[in-house]
Amino acid sequence: REQFLVSNVGESRIRLSYGYQVDYTGRTLASVYRGGLLSSANSEGRPPHDLEERSGDLVTEFLAPDGSACNFGGKSEWHQDESVGGISGTLNELLNCAGVTLDSNPTSLLAGNFPAPPHFRTMGLKIEFHVEIHQQVFGRRSAYVRTEAVPQVTSFWDTHEQVSSFPATTASS
């Protein structure tokens, strides 16, 4: 049986882009605030047609599992004016932010014993992004991005790919 691994997969480029909406009125959509990396400006008002443009002041910060800053795209903090349309970095940078590498043992992230290949490179994984938006008293908005590596097995049966995931239970130290 032949197996193929992508060369230099850790240097593959990945782009993160996100948007958010805050409903000030408790689900009536009478007054909302919309922002994110999709545009250089934000909007506020009553959707869909009564929205006013607001300046974009969002700062996106990438955090490691311990809460320290980690680099994605060469730096850990991105201001909205330099990240319109998304922030690009490498798979290795994202994995570093999640506290793992392609050669990390997947079972180190799981509670209990699971039969698994010895590293993510041959087993597979999915990366989950957790984005928390905060607004300070004086209006500055920050988005804190944490990445989580979740072990995922990919099996090949004939020519049909079947994907299965381990339970969402993770262990951290």
Side-chain angles (χ1 to χ4, degrees), residues 61-68 70 94 97-98 127-132 143-148:
E61 298 180 45
F62 288 86
L63 301 176
D66 65 1
S68 64
C70 68
L94 275 182
C97 286
I127 298 175
E128 293 183 354
F129 293 94
H130 303 273
V131 181
E132 294 181 30
Y144 300 102
V145 180
R146 294 178 189 262
T147 58
E148 180 182 359

Side-chain angles (χ1 to χ4, degrees), residues 94-113:
L94 275 182
L95 293 174
N96 183 56
C97 286
V100 300
T101 69
L102 286 170
D103 295 318
S104 294
N105 187 335
T107 59
S108 68
L109 299 180
L110 299 168
N113 294 319

